[in-house]
Amino acid sequence: MDLLARIDKAVARAIAIGQGGTPPARLAEALHYATSPGGARIRPTILTSVALACGDDRPALTDAAAAALELIHCASLVHDDLPCFDDAEIRRGKPAVHRAYSEPLAVLTGDSLIILAFEVLARAAAEEPLRGAQLVLTLAQRSGMPGGICAGQGWESEPTVDLAAYHRSKTGALFIAATQMGAIAAGHEPEPWFELGDRIGEAFQVADDLRDAVMDEDALGKPVGQDAAHGRPSAVAELGLEGAAKRLKDILAGAIASIPSCQGEAALAQMVRMQSERIMPSAVRHLA
Amino acid sequence: MDLLARIDKAVARAIAIGQGGTPPARLAEALHYATSPGGARIRPTILTSVALACGDDRPALTDAAAAALELIHCASLVHDDLPCFDDAEIRRGKPAVHRAYSEPLAVLTGDSLIILAFEVLARAAAEEPLRGAQLVLTLAQRSGMPGGICAGQGWESEPTVDLAAYHRSKTGALFIAATQMGAIAAGHEPEPWFELGDRIGEAFQVADDLRDAVMDEDALGKPVGQDAAHGRPSAVAELGLEGAAKRLKDILAGAIASIPSCQGEAALAQMVRMQSERIMPSAVRHLA
């Protein structure tokens, strides 16, 4: 089974838990709507790749961790799209959850996905409770306050922004969670895996800025030019297109160099290289 | 230290974790605003009382469980007050979070409190990882989908409502969490504690209906007459004032009778009796 199929299956199993019994039907349906089709599943792919590089001795725990991380990511997209934030009409090429269902159901979908993420970890933790507790802790720290993606969004309500803290929490946090949770699921220490996640997060931030600047709405599946429209800080605004493309290439080289020594080091480096090619917009590839 | 002081201290410690380092200041402040002053802290009081009745051999785990449960409850209040739900102006006698801060910060405050609840459990779980995993699982199941308070809110978006499922998930779920998490924190099986939580939840639902019907806005600290205004099902609409007051008394007697045999059974029965007197509105006490 390829990685993406493994992850999609883990996410589907998680959603089935949230839809069990006789739940309120529209909210149950919205949980599925918000998590599929899943796009590239980049964060759980990184998580599972790190777990595999570390031996993946508890695949059920790895799958739970991958699903939990993807649920948190999807929850953040649903809430970020709400009218009081980005007021996005489309997401992944289809109507945003609050458009397809309603605003109350979008709030509840995000809340339910967050909680389901921790439920999925707790269920898998019965087998390895110490790793389970570490997974819950790491996911919580990278999702909430003071250093997770909630904090990242929170910085947008501040009169003055700590830019480093803003980027690390808003975009970087879930990539750090990805590498560290992959290590934890396979029984390794999380600390040596911080740098890889942090650098991948930085790369995605720059890639996101590039896509927002050069792609069109149909190709991206969401509104473009949002950074310029909202006067948000961006690598393109700071370095220009060419500078940002070069910066992206450098960060990814540093990411690969940071991979801790482990049995699956070469395969993991290959995965990071593939993700790098995927995230560099083709319109700027010749500039890097 | 009395119970309320113990719980307030545990909640304050949890909020301090969410405010650690140099977080976005307004969101950090809103976490505190949404959780204090805390009102009666009824759910964590029940949780801690059950843990004490079961021996409370891991007080740090009990405190973490009590704080986590209260954070989830406060998060649900913040999100329920949002314009797309109740659009409440006041809560506990002061402006609702989205009024005092902003709608984006209210969404993020709820999200952050939910995540912080699981972080607090994970930190305390290092000592007793198996109990920790069971606490995370129980809290998640009673908070999210398909049977927790998110499901309860979700029923309000359905064309036809399963009333029993609606009440059990919307009001009952966190009381079931309270009794079961108290037992788990002290190393007891959660199953025998389901009935006590379920009955207390039912009592609070009826008491809430009575308060909504007979109290005024100043005394209640939130808008009244909401059930009638929104055509919501209510024990008062179904049974009349006297019938609802009698029903509340019967449920509480059943709750006390359901307490599993344990070392602190008598003290726990006394606590439930005190809570009963507290929740019966004085205007209808003579009717019961």
Side-chain angles (χ1 to χ4, degrees):
Chain A
M1 180 163 52
D2 74 8
L3 221 54
L4 192 58
R6 178 178 170 182
I7 291 162
D8 276 339
K9 221 170 148 180
V11 171
R13 270 198 306 269
I15 296 300
I17 291 171
Q19 296 178 325
T22 50
R26 295 187 69 221
L27 179 54
E29 197 187 290
L31 296 184
H32 174 77
Y33 184 90
T35 51
S36 66
R41 308 273 197 214
I42 295 167
R43 292 156 193 79
T45 297
I46 294 168
L47 187 155
T48 309
S49 302
V50 170
L52 285 165
C54 292
D56 195 27
D57 67 337
R58 289 283 182 276
L61 200 57
T62 300
D63 287 353
L69 182 60
E70 181 67 8
L71 296 188
I72 291 281
H73 172 60
C74 292
S76 79
L77 299 181
V78 174
H79 280 184
D80 287 2
D81 284 345
L82 284 170
C84 70
F85 289 107
D86 290 352
D87 198 11
E89 288 182 35
I90 50 172
R91 166 68 69 181
R92 289 172 176 164
K94 63 182 188 178
V97 174
H98 67 278
R99 293 271 178 165
Y101 292 86
S102 68
E103 211 180 318
L105 282 170
V107 173
L108 292 172
T109 297
D111 292 355
S112 302
L113 291 174
I114 294 171
I115 294 163
L116 192 55
F118 293 104
E119 177 167 349
V120 165
L121 289 179
R123 283 169 180 257
E127 202 189 344
E128 283 280 356
L130 265 175
R131 293 188 200 176
Q134 234 184 332
L135 288 170
V136 170
L137 182 59
T138 302
L139 185 60
Q141 286 175 326
R142 301 300 171 188
S143 304
M145 276 281 283
I149 51 174
C150 286
Q153 279 288 97
W155 279 112
E156 296 184 5
S157 292
E158 289 295 311
T160 53
V161 177
D162 177 337
L163 264 187
Y166 170 65
H167 283 309
R168 180 161 288 169
S169 52
K170 179 161 167 121
T171 310
L174 290 193
F175 289 101
I176 298 168
T179 56
Q180 294 198 314
M181 290 173 76
I184 294 165
H188 284 228
E189 283 301 314
E191 205 281 322
W193 292 91
F194 175 89
E195 190 178 344
L196 177 62
D198 194 39
R199 283 178 186 257
I200 296 177
E202 212 187 333
F204 270 81
Q205 180 61 50
V206 176
D208 211 43
D209 293 351
L210 281 165
R211 276 198 300 274
D212 187 70
V214 302
M215 284 175 73
D216 65 28
E217 184 162 314
D218 283 350
L220 194 53
K222 64 178 183 179
V224 296
Q226 294 293 300
D227 291 338
H230 293 93
R232 287 198 285 240
S234 130
V236 176
E238 190 193 333
L239 305 168
L241 271 185
E242 188 175 341
K246 280 198 200 314
R247 174 132 184 71
L248 175 54
K249 206 181 164 190
D250 288 348
I251 296 167
L252 286 165
I256 289 169
S258 85
I259 295 175
S261 114
C262 58
Q263 61 186 91
E265 198 179 329
L268 184 58
Q270 183 54 27
M271 186 279 300
V272 177
R273 241 174 251 118
M274 276 174 54
Q275 295 290 350
S276 316
E277 280 163 32
R278 170 182 238 144
I279 65 172
M280 177 81 78
S282 52
V284 297
R285 201 159 290 161
H286 65 284
L287 297 174
Chain B
M1 181 162 53
D2 74 9
L3 220 55
L4 192 57
R6 178 177 170 183
I7 291 162
D8 276 339
K9 222 170 147 181
V11 171
R13 270 198 306 269
I15 295 301
I17 291 171
Q19 296 178 325
T22 49
R26 294 188 69 221
L27 180 54
E29 197 188 290
L31 297 184
H32 175 77
Y33 184 91
T35 52
S36 66
R41 308 273 197 214
I42 296 168
R43 292 156 194 79
T45 297
I46 294 168
L47 187 155
T48 309
S49 301
V50 169
L52 284 165
C54 292
D56 195 27
D57 67 336
R58 288 285 180 276
L61 200 56
T62 300
D63 287 354
L69 182 60
E70 182 67 8
L71 296 189
I72 291 281
H73 172 60
C74 292
S76 78
L77 299 182
V78 173
H79 280 184
D80 287 2
D81 284 345
L82 284 170
C84 70
F85 289 108
D86 290 352
D87 198 11
E89 288 182 36
I90 50 172
R91 164 69 68 181
R92 288 173 176 164
K94 63 182 188 178
V97 174
H98 67 278
R99 292 272 177 163
Y101 292 86
S102 68
E103 211 179 317
L105 283 171
V107 173
L108 292 172
T109 297
D111 292 355
S112 302
L113 291 175
I114 293 171
I115 294 163
L116 191 54
F118 292 104
E119 177 168 349
V120 165
L121 289 179
R123 283 168 180 258
E127 202 190 345
E128 283 280 357
L130 266 174
R131 292 189 201 176
Q134 235 184 332
L135 287 171
V136 170
L137 182 59
T138 302
L139 184 60
Q141 286 176 326
R142 301 299 171 188
S143 305
M145 275 282 281
I149 51 174
C150 286
Q153 278 288 97
W155 279 113
E156 297 184 6
S157 293
E158 289 296 313
T160 53
V161 177
D162 177 337
L163 263 187
Y166 170 65
H167 283 310
R168 179 162 288 168
S169 52
K170 178 158 169 124
T171 311
L174 290 193
F175 289 102
I176 297 168
T179 56
Q180 294 198 314
M181 290 173 76
I184 294 165
H188 284 227
E189 282 301 315
E191 206 280 323
W193 292 91
F194 175 88
E195 190 178 344
L196 177 62
D198 195 39
R199 284 178 185 257
I200 296 176
E202 214 187 330
F204 269 80
Q205 180 61 50
V206 176
D208 212 44
D209 293 351
L210 281 165
R211 276 198 300 274
D212 187 71
V214 303
M215 285 174 75
D216 65 29
E217 184 161 316
D218 282 351
L220 194 53
K222 64 178 184 180
V224 296
Q226 294 292 301
D227 291 338
H230 293 95
R232 286 198 285 239
S234 129
V236 176
E238 191 192 331
L239 305 168
L241 271 184
E242 188 174 341
K246 281 199 201 313
R247 175 135 184 69
L248 175 53
K249 206 181 163 192
D250 288 348
I251 296 167
L252 287 165
I256 289 169
S258 84
I259 295 174
S261 113
C262 58
Q263 61 187 90
E265 198 179 329
L268 184 58
Q270 182 55 24
M271 186 279 299
V272 176
R273 242 175 250 118
M274 276 175 54
Q275 296 289 352
S276 316
E277 279 164 31
R278 170 180 239 145
I279 66 172
M280 176 81 77
S282 52
V284 296
R285 202 159 290 162
H286 65 286
L287 297 173

